[in-house]
Amino acid sequence: MTTICKNCASSFEGKFCNQCGQAADTPEINFRSVAQELQHTILQIDKGLLYTTRELLLRPGKTIRGYLEGKRVQHIKPFAYIFILSTLYALLTTLTRKSTFLADFLDGFYDGTTESEAQSDMGLVGDIVLWMSSHYAYTTLLIIPLISLASYLCFAKMRYNYFQHLVLNSYVAGQRTAVFLLLLPFTYFITDESTNDFIDTVKVYLGIALTFWTYYQFFNTTRVYKRILLTILTYVVMLVLIFLITLIIALVQKVF
Ligand SMILES: [Zn+2]
């Protein structure tokens, strides 16, 4: 049966217009259709979120390579993924008042001073570190373009463009956040401060280990020692980039 598309007026067969993607069936919009649409949207996000998370925990590098090569329909898109997970994580950690490792570290460093005093003592670098540690969601989202530039420069021979590195690192950040979210129920009941500090330290290393694992699988066509060296180099370049940006901000602040 041929249908005339209600959106672009081209004729097609099947459930969707092959010019613009509009559905053949366009029921009247009413309470039922809106409720159905809402349910469908939430279900679709849920399905993609769970599928992508499972794949990233089982075979991260292979999954991301597959996504870049076009195996995409079951996945939640990379930026939506990290945006939803980091927001969720930030909300839950704020609600359960789990402070982050860096904030604790700085608290310990400046014993007896309030946060605002500590900030002015440490200057701009301290301000930035404090801000980053207390804003997990923003920090995660801000670091992605930087680590992507670093991995793009270090793995230049692998011939992925910058935006493909952006996808890779968004999924890596999402994978890490998913693992942290899964750990939250277990750490929630721990009130002992030193145990919590230990867990936070473990989380930092866990995040790095997950990145190594994913990069190792993702760049599977290059030699093992090269993959490991270039991943280390990626971290070094990223730290240099963060340092340079901090320096530029400091200079700009001095000039104005
Ligand atoms: Zn159409």
Side-chain angles (χ1 to χ4, degrees), residues 104-114 118:
D104 279 350
F105 172 77
L106 289 170
D107 272 357
F109 211 74
Y110 286 88
D111 226 357
T113 56
T114 65

Side-chain angles (χ1 to χ4, degrees), residues 89 136 175-185 187 203-204 206-207 210:
Y89 183 72
Y136 181 86
Q175 173 208 49
R176 177 178 62 239
T177 312
V179 171
F180 289 177
L181 275 167
L182 291 172
L183 287 175
L184 267 186
T187 54
K203 272 159 104 179
V204 173
L206 190 63
L210 285 167

Side-chain angles (χ1 to χ4, degrees), residues 74-88:
Q74 283 174 289
H75 285 287
I76 181 164
K77 291 193 172 76
F79 308 129
Y81 186 55
I82 183 56
F83 194 78
I84 291 171
L85 285 194
S86 63
T87 307
L88 191 67

Side-chain angles (χ1 to χ4, degrees), residues 4-10 12 16-22:
I4 305 293
C5 177
K6 283 182 181 164
N7 183 49
C8 71
S10 66
F12 64 95
F16 298 95
C17 171
N18 49 31
Q19 291 300 317
C20 71
Q22 158 105 17

